[in-house]
């Protein structure tokens, strides 16, 4: 057996990195491993929402994110290229201290990694967890190197195909949608660099999000997105593209004994709403508080994590599924509802602010007790 940290964190995406940072700031020794040899180069997430910036502010990472990030000033909603609504996001009164920051996930992860390094914590890459068991006193983890680690707590941030969740035999119920969605990062000439764009089309949806300068992210299903750009837009270099299927799933429990799950290991949902990375960082924040208290002698605190987070995460998955369903539905009834409802909602601040709070991470409090 090797000398053990107090918390072994499996997975060095944004959830695992944030958990390590929050715990380190509480004085808890951590060990952070990741199966990948190198950090991610692609960016699943673009938005760092105001709630996440609030949670990260004491670590110094928020200031560094804001120094690099762009923002979204307006959202244009169209139907077949005709305007249904234009929402000025910077005019919404949602009670946020920070804006929605647009920064590629790879950069957010790099900034979290640098903040950890400043505290003497490094990610051990190319090192996977292969098996895990626990007893009343500790968790025993077997690593791909053959090393066995015995540690008081383990936090699994090892993604949607979580080895830890499977080892615990926890269910991951939910549903998957059959149609393929497209995701493309591309240089575009035409759209403003601080505006998001949604166009509802026959049997298709087209979403364009600002990325950096002339670079944008396209998301949608239906005909090839680059073959159906809005009038006057021209595509340049394609930096990344991927097809994916949308699932909405929630783990049957987010903790079992001395092991807890966070981020995609515990819940997955569509990218509509920009909640994936941000929700995982919330998980990390609450877990760190519960874990630090548990390790200081408050034996019931580790059980609080599932009680505090699972209802919140489950509700967010449900809301994001409903929002994505509204975007996805191409039937005549849905088309009529959008034409009737979207212009009305956009003119009523209290309604558009309620919808905006979902994407901004302000639709629930972060509760620690």
């Amino acid at each position: 057996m090797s000398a053990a940290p107090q918390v072994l964190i499996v997975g060095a995406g944004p959830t695992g990195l944030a958990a390590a940072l929050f715990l380190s700031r509480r004085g808890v020794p951590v060990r952070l491993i990741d199966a990948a040899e190198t950090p991610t180069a692609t960016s699943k997430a673009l938005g760092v929402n105001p709630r996440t910036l609030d949670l990260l502010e004491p670590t110094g990472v928020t200031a560094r994110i804001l120094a690099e990030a762009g923002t979204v000033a307006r959202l244009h909603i169209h139907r077949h290229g005709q305007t249904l609504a234009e929402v000025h996001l910077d005019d919404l009164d949602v009670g946020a201290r920070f804006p929605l920051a647009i920064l590629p996930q790879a950069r957010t992860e790099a900034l979290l990694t640098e903040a950890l390094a400043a505290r003497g914590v490094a990610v051990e890459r190319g090192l996977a967890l292969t098996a895990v068991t626990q007893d009343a006193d500790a968790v025993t983890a077997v690593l791909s190197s053959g090393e066995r680690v015995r540690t008081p707590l383990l936090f699994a941030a090892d993604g949607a195909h979580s080895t830890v969740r499977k080892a615990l035999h926890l269910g991951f119920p939910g549903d998957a949608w059959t149609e393929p969605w497209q995701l493309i990062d591309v240089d575009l000439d035409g759209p403003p660099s601080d505006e998001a764009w949604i166009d509802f089309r026959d049997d298709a949806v087209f979403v364009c999000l600002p990325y950096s300068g002339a670079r944008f992210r396209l998301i949608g299903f239906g005909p090839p997105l680059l073959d159906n750009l809005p009038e006057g837009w021209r595509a340049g270099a394609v930096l990344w593209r991927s097809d994916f299927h949308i699932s909405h799933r929630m783990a049957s429990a987010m903790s079992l004994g001395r092991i807890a799950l966070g981020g995609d290991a515990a819940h997955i949902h569509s990218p509509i709403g920009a909640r994936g990375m941000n929700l995982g960082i919330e998980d990390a924040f609450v877990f760190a508080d519960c874990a630090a208290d548990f390790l200081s002698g408050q034996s019931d605190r580790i059980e609080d994590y599932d009680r505090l987070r699972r209802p919140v995460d489950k509700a967010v998955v449900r809301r994001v599924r409903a929002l994505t369903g509204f975007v996805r539905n191409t039937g005549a009834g849905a088309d009529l509802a959008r034409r009737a409802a979207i212009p009305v909602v956009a003119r009523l601040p209290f309604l558009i602010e309620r919808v905006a709070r979902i994407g901004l991470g302000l639709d629930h409090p972060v509760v620690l007790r």
Side-chain angles (χ1 to χ4, degrees), residues 49-58 62 95-98 285 362:
N49 69 32
R51 168 60 52 69
T52 298
L53 294 173
D54 267 330
L55 299 181
L56 290 174
E57 185 183 21
T62 291
R97 297 173 56 233
F98 297 106
F285 182 79
L362 302 171

Side-chain angles (χ1 to χ4, degrees), residues 90-161:
D90 44 5
D91 291 341
L92 297 179
D93 182 14
V94 293
R97 297 173 56 233
F98 297 106
L100 173 64
I102 303 299
L103 189 69
Q105 179 177 323
R107 279 304 300 155
T108 300
E109 290 185 16
L111 295 175
L112 289 168
T113 301
E114 290 169 13
L116 272 175
R119 303 190 68 84
V121 179
V123 180
E124 297 179 58
R125 294 201 167 273
L127 191 58
L129 180 140
T130 59
V132 63
T133 58
Q134 62 178 320
D135 54 38
D137 299 320
V139 176
T140 301
V142 181
L143 308 185
S144 55
S145 62
E147 180 185 5
R148 293 169 61 85
V149 178
R150 193 157 168 85
T151 179
L153 295 173
L154 184 146
F155 184 62
D158 53 342
H161 301 288

Side-chain angles (χ1 to χ4, degrees), residues 116-354:
L116 272 175
R119 303 190 68 84
V121 179
V123 180
E124 297 179 58
R125 294 201 167 273
L127 191 58
L129 180 140
T130 59
V132 63
T133 58
Q134 62 178 320
D135 54 38
D137 299 320
V139 176
T140 301
V142 181
L143 308 185
S144 55
S145 62
E147 180 185 5
R148 293 169 61 85
V149 178
R150 193 157 168 85
T151 179
L153 295 173
L154 184 146
F155 184 62
D158 53 342
H161 301 288
S162 171
T163 298
V164 176
R165 188 187 66 242
K166 293 174 183 176
L168 295 176
H169 304 291
L170 293 174
F172 204 33
D175 58 16
W177 293 344
T178 57
E179 74 278 357
W181 285 60
Q182 306 161 58
L183 187 154
I184 304 173
D185 289 346
V186 60
D187 290 335
L188 290 177
D189 179 22
S193 62
D194 63 347
E195 296 184 354
W197 178 289
I198 299 176
D199 191 13
F200 296 104
R201 304 168 176 177
D202 292 336
D203 300 320
V205 66
F206 176 91
V207 180
C208 178
L209 304 174
Y211 193 125
S212 175
R215 189 163 298 167
F216 293 82
R217 170 161 295 179
L218 307 182
I219 305 172
F221 63 88
L225 299 179
L226 292 178
D227 294 347
N228 294 271
L229 295 175
E231 185 177 354
W233 292 18
R234 291 183 299 279
V238 175
L239 294 99
W240 180 49
R241 62 192 311 158
S242 176
D243 289 345
F244 64 98
H245 288 81
I246 287 176
S247 296
H248 298 89
R249 299 187 182 279
M250 182 74 218
S252 56
M254 288 184 65
S255 65
L256 186 65
R258 293 171 174 267
I259 300 172
L261 311 176
D264 288 353
H267 43 76
I268 56 173
H269 52 72
S270 93
I272 303 297
R275 296 302 295 274
M277 178 185 74
N278 294 286
L279 202 60
I281 291 175
E282 280 187 34
D283 292 341
F285 182 79
V286 176
F287 171 78
D289 193 73
C290 293
D293 289 347
F294 173 81
L295 292 165
S296 68
Q298 299 180 44
S299 59
D300 60 337
R301 280 290 281 153
I302 200 62
E303 297 176 0
D304 284 347
Y305 174 69
D306 180 79
R307 177 182 62 81
L308 293 170
R309 287 308 298 171
R310 191 168 181 276
V312 169
D313 291 344
K314 186 176 182 179
V316 171
V317 171
R318 184 175 62 248
R319 284 193 288 271
V320 171
R321 187 187 188 283
L323 181 60
T324 308
F326 179 78
V327 171
R328 172 189 183 236
N329 193 333
T330 57
D335 180 57
L336 178 62
R338 284 194 287 262
R339 281 187 287 150
I342 290 175
V344 173
V345 171
R347 289 195 296 268
L348 298 174
F350 72 95
L351 286 178
I352 197 65
E353 286 165 8
R354 183 174 179 180

